[in-house]
Amino acid sequence: MGVDEASEPQGEPEVPVSRTRSRGRYVVSRLLGLFLAAIVLALVVLDTPIGHRFVADRIAALTPENGLRIKVARIEGSVYSQATLRGLTLSDPKGPFLTVPVAELDWRPLHWFFSGLDIRELTARRGTLLRFPELKPSDPNKPLLPDFDIRVDRFRLDDFTVAEGVLGEKRRIDLTAKAKKRPGRALLRVDGKLGGADRLHVLLDSDPDRDRFDLDVDYMAPRGGLLAGLVGSGDDMQLRIAGDGTWSDWKGTFLARQDKRRLAAFTLTNRKGRYGMLGQVYPAKLVHGTAARLLGTKVSLGGAATFKDSVLDGDFRLQGHAIDMTAKGALDLAANAAEGLVVTARLTRPDALGKGLRIEGARLTARLDGQFGDLAIPHDLRIDRIDAGTRFADIRQQGVLQRKGTRWTLPLNLAVATIETGNGTADSLLKEGYATGTLELADGRLLSDELKLVFPGLEGRFSLRGDTAKGGYALAGPVDARGLVLENIGTLDGEAKVLAKLAEGGGWMVKANLAARMPQISNGTVNSLTGGGLRLRGGVTLGSGRPVLFEDVALDAAKLELRLDGSVADGGAKLAGTGKHADYGSFTLAASVADDGPRAELVFADPLPAAGLKDVRIALAPITDGFGIDTAGQSVLGPFDGRLNLLLRTGEPTRLAVERLAVSQAALSGALTLGDGGASGKLVLAGGGLDGAIVLAPRGGGQGFELALDAKNARFAGTTPTLVRSAHIEGKGVLGGERAEATGSVYAQGIIHGQLFIGRFAARGAVADGKGTFNASVAGRRGSRFSLQLQGATAPERITLVAQGEFADQRIAMPRRAVLTRSDGGWQLAPTQVSYGDGMAIAEGRFGGDGPTDIKLHLADMSLSLFDIALTDLSLGGKVSGIVDFHEADGTPPSGKARLAIEGLTRSGLVLTSRPVDLYLVAELSPQAMQARAAIREGSER
């Protein structure tokens, strides 16, 4: 290898490590030096006229949330020690309210980083208060006490002037103050000469190391004065604190007067840093509404606590007119935080919240931890009983109340054992209920859109709106009921829209629009009366100091339609309405309940057409030891009128006395005793050609009866007069019990009802457990050659009938017997044939009950002389053949058709019918035909 080749470099030369590190330290030190130099330069510049202008501009640019603005025209001297501020102006959102020509400041701003605020002297001279400031409310979450040290050796307002327009006169003000705050040391001294009757003196000197404690306050703020105006008060206010002693043992007093009346009075103590207070507050002019009712006119306060590093730690108790409250724990007034503060409270007067509202056994336990503006408060509220007309028992609310800023949130977990409304049916349902949801409170507004209230079989979903300042609350939403069992009535499904309001002082109102159905009815009487399928709708309004109102209540069922309005007020109730029953027709109802008992009146327009009953009135009213029942109306036997007394004497069986019950000229009288086994007694029927008695007595676990009645020339003045020449009726039996049975017989002669005449009638029958037989015979007038015998059998769901006889030497027969079968409460007639001579008639169809009426009649060569059996002096001759159809359904007009052919029509004694006439008739009954007939009639009348 050559020398040149060996001497060539083999890579980059290495730099020593020590040299690299030295260069890095050099760069850092240069940068740090430049940074410090910039800071020093900035500090130097700030203390120049340019810097002074910059500071003044920054002060003017400050925008505190309370609206305060500070303007400085010029700064002289040093901003780091002694400075003179000229042209100082303080403004609120409405403009300047204080001007200060000169303010002298001696302070140590750089001490802020080591020992807090350090002001040696601040003197403001010759300032003028132009008006009282109107600043915006500051942030409530700001610390109540500063968390830094403070030193103010001298603060002075020198030769200040209150402008004449502020107080009505010019006033000179001088004020001096001094303050120190550091751990273990507190000093505050304020003295002011404020003019007029205003007075201000404050001294607090606390120094445990030197066993010193002194507290003295003298504050006088008359109405219309300077101090009252600055705090915005319209009352005279005086505060006085005085005492004597040392840090180890100090005793003092506190007295406050408002408008020359005592506002508060306390004894104060300090024993080695444990402060105590005991006395009363008279808050009548400070609180209103609910708070005033709870606190009353005098409130006792007591407590003891330590106060160190801005933390107040102890226990306190408040006793007011209706509340007893304790608090134990700590409050950090610098951090605005609670530390394990446990609050308990109980309501001591059940009637404290107003007339008509009673709350018993109310107690609350709550724990507060965390910042005042961000609190979570676990709590347990229990109430034994609330009575607001409606009574609530065993109420409990548990949860965690949250606070975020000014908004409070409460997850609801509320339970109630029972609610008592006074209605036995409702009270049996309102048990073991609970409520869930979330309540929110902000700016005095309480609201929730997701409240849920649940009882067995009931569920409600509500929205809540409330105003805590005014004490008004409203709750609205739907309530659903499913499978709700009403004892001894049935099972209910339904829904309601509810609006509830609660006003200050306990006044309340609930309004509900409801619709319900009862698919299952367990009560036999209710089921029989309504026919099942019960539906209910209407409105109910109730509340404190107002009647309970029932509005537009509608009850619909298979057999019954009812419309009602009513009210309950002052211990009484009223109901009025109209209705329609499938069996008894249309009726009106009026009922009331007063101090002497219930009253009711029912009026049926046409309850039993077969008996000719019309305009039947039944009225019930209280009498001594019972009720009087008045009844009146029209019947096929004539008008009737009666008075019955239901006697309910204590210790005696119930009695029903018939004071008067008359039909035409016949009268029923007597009395019945109503016992557990049935009725016993005797009812006598006399007058108008009647003579007889009905005897009742319990028998075999059922109601036994015996009937014996004679009639002789008995007359009944109905719409169609009725006459019975002679009759004898007997019967006896037992209804109900283990075996129901009855037997009876009737024999009568000479029955005339309008044009209908029956010469003789005899019948005998017997029935046992719903099954029975009967035989009857009917004859026309003497010499009419008419007789008819009937035989039949009955069963719970079936009736059969067969007849035979003769008229005018021609045979009457039933080749196909009549069979009636129960159908939807009515009867179905199987095709039934009646023959007379060479003619016949076949009838079939359905009638009665809830279904439609359908009747079809076929006629073939049926003699018209049959009408002479029942109707006198008709004397028709001829034969009729054809078909008759008739149909009627509930809610629709009747309709039908008839096609008849009459051969050889004659009537004895009429010239126009001296020879036979043949006729062919076609008739139709329909809504259109009825309208056409009405139009024709209207035209003919014109």
Side-chain angles (χ1 to χ4, degrees):
M1 178 181 298
V3 175
D4 292 339
E5 182 180 355
S7 63
E8 286 185 3
Q10 301 297 314
E12 291 294 331
E14 294 183 3
V15 179
V17 175
S18 60
R19 184 178 177 185
T20 301
R21 291 177 178 175
S22 297
R23 184 175 297 174
R25 286 195 295 268
Y26 174 77
V27 173
V28 171
S29 63
R30 279 303 189 98
L31 291 174
L32 181 60
L34 288 173
F35 179 71
L36 293 175
I39 293 177
V40 171
L41 180 62
L43 293 175
V44 172
V45 171
L46 282 178
D47 209 18
T48 66
I50 296 176
H52 293 171
R53 184 70 267 159
F54 176 79
V55 172
D57 291 343
R58 293 306 91 202
I59 294 174
L62 294 176
T63 57
E65 62 180 14
N66 63 0
L68 178 65
R69 300 292 183 271
I70 303 174
K71 182 179 180 181
V72 179
R74 188 169 74 256
I75 300 176
E76 299 175 352
S78 173
V79 295
Y80 301 119
S81 57
Q82 295 181 350
T84 300
L85 310 180
R86 297 190 182 276
L88 178 64
T89 302
L90 275 64
S91 302
D92 61 15
K94 291 187 175 181
F97 63 87
L98 177 66
T99 60
V100 180
V102 179
E104 298 171 354
L105 174 64
D106 182 2
W107 71 326
R108 305 297 181 266
L110 298 180
H111 287 191
W112 174 262
F113 302 100
F114 312 104
S115 58
L117 181 64
D118 187 347
I119 298 177
R120 305 302 169 88
E121 181 176 355
L122 175 58
T123 300
R125 304 182 187 278
R126 301 187 303 281
T128 301
L129 181 67
L130 304 175
R131 58 181 177 83
F132 291 125
E134 299 181 26
L135 299 176
K136 300 177 182 178
S138 59
D139 184 0
N141 295 319
K142 284 186 176 180
L144 298 176
L145 293 178
D147 58 354
F148 52 85
D149 292 347
I150 297 174
R151 173 183 175 180
V152 180
D153 290 345
R154 181 179 178 85
F155 173 81
R156 183 180 177 189
L157 301 180
D158 181 31
D159 195 17
F160 265 54
T161 300
V162 178
E164 183 176 356
V166 178
L167 301 176
E169 61 179 5
K170 273 191 175 184
R171 185 179 293 186
R172 177 178 172 177
I173 295 175
D174 291 291
L175 183 142
T176 61
K178 181 177 182 179
K180 288 184 180 180
K181 174 187 173 295
R182 66 173 184 267
R185 178 76 171 107
L187 172 65
L188 176 64
R189 180 190 295 273
V190 181
D191 285 291
K193 296 179 180 179
L194 308 178
D198 286 84
R199 187 164 67 244
L200 178 62
H201 166 73
V202 178
L203 173 61
L204 170 63
D205 189 355
S206 176
D207 192 345
D209 294 338
R210 294 189 291 174
D211 195 23
R212 175 183 296 177
F213 186 82
D214 199 1
L215 180 60
D216 187 74
V217 176
D218 188 2
Y219 175 90
M220 176 73 78
R223 181 190 298 112
L226 177 64
L227 292 176
L230 288 173
V231 299
S233 173
D235 301 322
D236 290 327
M237 184 66 69
Q238 179 183 4
L239 305 178
R240 186 74 179 94
I241 300 177
D244 188 32
T246 65
W247 174 259
S248 301
D249 188 5
W250 182 90
K251 295 180 181 179
T253 60
F254 170 79
L255 177 65
R257 293 183 180 276
Q258 184 179 23
D259 286 340
K260 299 182 181 180
R261 293 189 298 180
R262 180 171 291 191
L263 177 63
F266 295 101
T267 59
L268 307 176
T269 61
N270 176 20
R271 291 182 175 86
K272 297 181 179 180
R274 185 164 182 83
Y275 303 94
M277 59 175 290
L278 182 65
Q280 286 81 38
V281 176
Y282 305 86
K285 296 191 68 174
L286 301 180
V287 294
H288 306 281
T290 300
R293 286 190 290 272
L294 291 175
L295 295 175
T297 58
K298 182 171 75 171
V299 178
S300 297
L301 287 173
T306 60
F307 187 70
K308 186 176 181 180
D309 297 332
S310 300
V311 176
L312 186 67
D313 189 353
D315 52 84
F316 303 89
R317 184 173 183 181
L318 176 150
Q319 289 180 300
H321 170 72
I323 190 171
D324 189 345
M325 184 170 68
T326 63
K328 187 174 184 178
L331 294 175
D332 189 335
L333 302 182
N336 272 13
E339 299 176 358
L341 182 65
V342 177
V343 178
T344 63
R346 64 185 182 91
L347 191 67
T348 58
R349 292 179 179 265
D351 57 352
L353 295 183
K355 184 179 180 182
L357 178 63
R358 185 176 180 85
I359 303 177
E360 300 176 2
R363 54 214 185 270
L364 169 70
T365 301
R367 180 183 177 90
L368 287 73
D369 271 301
Q371 297 287 327
F372 293 164
D374 188 9
L375 273 178
I377 307 175
H379 63 276
D380 187 346
L381 171 65
R382 304 190 186 196
I383 303 175
D384 292 340
R385 191 177 183 86
I386 297 177
D387 189 344
T390 297
R391 294 173 291 278
F392 305 79
D394 294 336
I395 303 159
R396 185 173 187 179
Q397 158 64 24
Q398 291 179 301
V400 179
L401 176 64
Q402 301 277 348
R403 183 191 182 190
K404 297 287 186 181
T406 60
R407 182 176 295 276
W408 295 84
T409 303
L410 175 63
L412 199 64
N413 182 21
L414 179 68
V416 58
T418 61
I419 298 179
E420 300 174 7
T421 65
N423 182 293
T425 301
D427 294 349
S428 65
L429 306 174
L430 300 178
K431 295 181 178 180
E432 303 302 328
Y434 66 88
T436 59
T438 301
L439 300 176
E440 292 187 1
L441 175 64
D443 301 324
R445 300 291 179 180
L446 181 67
L447 61 91
S448 177
D449 291 319
E450 53 181 27
L451 290 182
K452 185 177 181 181
L453 180 63
V454 178
F455 286 90
L458 286 172
E459 180 178 317
R461 298 172 303 282
F462 300 102
S463 295
L464 172 67
R465 297 293 183 269
D467 188 327
T468 58
K470 297 180 180 179
Y473 304 89
L475 189 73
V479 176
D480 294 325
R482 293 293 178 267
L484 200 63
V485 177
L486 304 181
E487 186 176 355
N488 197 34
I489 298 178
T491 303
L492 181 74
D493 294 334
E495 55 275 338
K497 293 182 179 179
V498 176
L499 172 63
K501 294 182 179 181
L502 178 65
E504 183 179 8
W508 61 275
M509 182 276 291
V510 176
K511 186 173 184 178
N513 290 317
L514 56 92
R517 301 164 300 282
M518 189 171 288
Q520 297 181 8
I521 300 176
S522 58
N523 187 292
T525 301
V526 174
N527 191 55
S528 175
L529 180 65
T530 63
L534 188 62
R535 301 177 304 280
L536 178 69
R537 66 181 185 276
V540 181
T541 303
L542 64 158
S544 58
R546 62 188 301 164
V548 179
L549 298 178
F550 301 92
E551 300 174 297
D552 299 325
V553 177
L555 187 151
D556 294 296
K559 288 186 176 181
L560 180 64
E561 296 177 3
L562 183 61
R563 303 294 181 266
L564 288 172
D565 291 294
S567 65
V568 179
D570 300 326
K574 294 182 179 180
L575 283 176
T578 61
K580 183 178 182 181
H581 194 275
D583 296 335
Y584 308 116
S586 301
F587 63 90
T588 61
L589 167 67
S592 64
V593 178
D595 293 339
D596 58 350
R599 299 172 184 269
E601 181 177 285
L602 279 165
V603 179
F604 292 90
D606 193 14
L608 189 59
L613 292 177
K614 292 184 178 180
D615 301 326
V616 177
R617 174 181 175 271
I618 302 173
L620 179 145
I623 59 173
T624 303
D625 297 329
F627 295 94
I629 303 172
D630 290 305
T631 182
Q634 298 290 331
S635 74
V636 70
L637 299 179
F640 64 91
D641 177 80
R643 168 77 179 193
L644 296 82
N645 294 325
L646 184 64
L647 303 176
L648 307 169
R649 295 190 176 98
T650 304
E652 297 182 10
T654 301
R655 294 183 69 244
L656 180 65
V658 182
E659 183 178 311
R660 181 187 74 259
L661 184 58
V663 181
S664 290
Q665 299 178 6
L668 183 71
S669 62
L672 301 176
T673 300
L674 308 180
D676 295 336
S680 60
K682 184 177 182 180
L683 299 176
V684 177
L685 186 62
L690 297 179
D691 183 16
I694 303 172
V695 178
L696 301 176
R699 187 186 308 161
Q703 178 64 63
F705 69 92
E706 291 185 6
L707 167 67
L709 179 63
D710 291 311
K712 188 172 183 179
N713 292 324
R715 297 179 181 274
F716 301 96
T719 305
T720 302
T722 301
L723 170 65
V724 179
R725 294 297 183 187
S726 66
H728 179 73
I729 302 173
E730 291 184 353
K732 63 180 179 178
V734 178
L735 303 177
E738 298 178 357
R739 180 177 176 82
E741 58 183 6
T743 61
S745 63
V746 177
Y747 180 80
Q749 288 183 318
I751 301 173
I752 301 174
H753 181 70
Q755 294 297 314
L756 175 65
F757 178 83
I758 297 176
R760 296 188 308 278
F761 175 76
R764 180 178 297 274
V767 62
D769 295 329
K771 297 180 180 181
T773 60
F774 61 88
N775 295 287
S777 64
V778 182
R781 67 175 59 86
R782 191 172 295 176
S784 67
R785 294 171 294 163
F786 165 69
S787 65
L788 186 67
Q789 290 76 43
L790 300 99
Q791 291 181 332
T794 63
E797 301 294 329
R798 179 184 173 93
I799 299 175
T800 60
L801 174 68
V802 65
Q804 63 178 359
E806 63 177 0
F807 174 62
D809 297 327
Q810 295 195 61
R811 181 170 175 267
I812 300 174
M814 289 183 68
R816 300 166 70 177
R817 64 178 180 170
V819 178
L820 292 163
T821 306
R822 179 71 70 174
S823 173
D824 294 330
W827 296 95
Q828 181 75 38
L829 175 65
T832 301
Q833 180 179 343
V834 177
S835 299
Y836 173 61
D838 296 331
M840 70 172 184
I842 297 176
E844 62 178 308
R846 190 205 171 282
F847 57 92
D850 301 325
T853 298
D854 282 297
I855 301 295
K856 181 174 286 188
L857 181 63
H858 297 261
L859 301 171
D861 296 329
M862 182 61 73
S863 175
L864 296 177
S865 63
L866 276 175
F867 289 102
D868 287 340
I869 295 176
L871 303 177
T872 60
D873 301 326
L874 194 57
S875 301
L876 289 177
K879 295 181 179 181
V880 60
S881 300
I883 299 174
V884 177
D885 282 321
F886 178 81
H887 176 80
E888 183 178 15
D890 187 23
T892 61
S895 61
K897 293 181 179 180
R899 294 180 175 86
L900 300 175
I902 303 175
E903 299 179 8
L905 174 63
T906 64
R907 183 179 181 189
S908 300
L910 293 180
V911 176
L912 294 177
T913 59
S914 59
R915 57 192 179 88
V917 176
D918 293 338
L919 294 176
Y920 182 74
L921 300 176
V922 178
E924 179 180 357
L925 176 63
S926 66
Q928 295 79 9
M930 297 291 286
Q931 293 174 0
R933 179 184 178 188
I936 293 172
R937 178 182 297 173
E938 181 179 356
S940 65
E941 290 175 352
R942 290 177 179 175

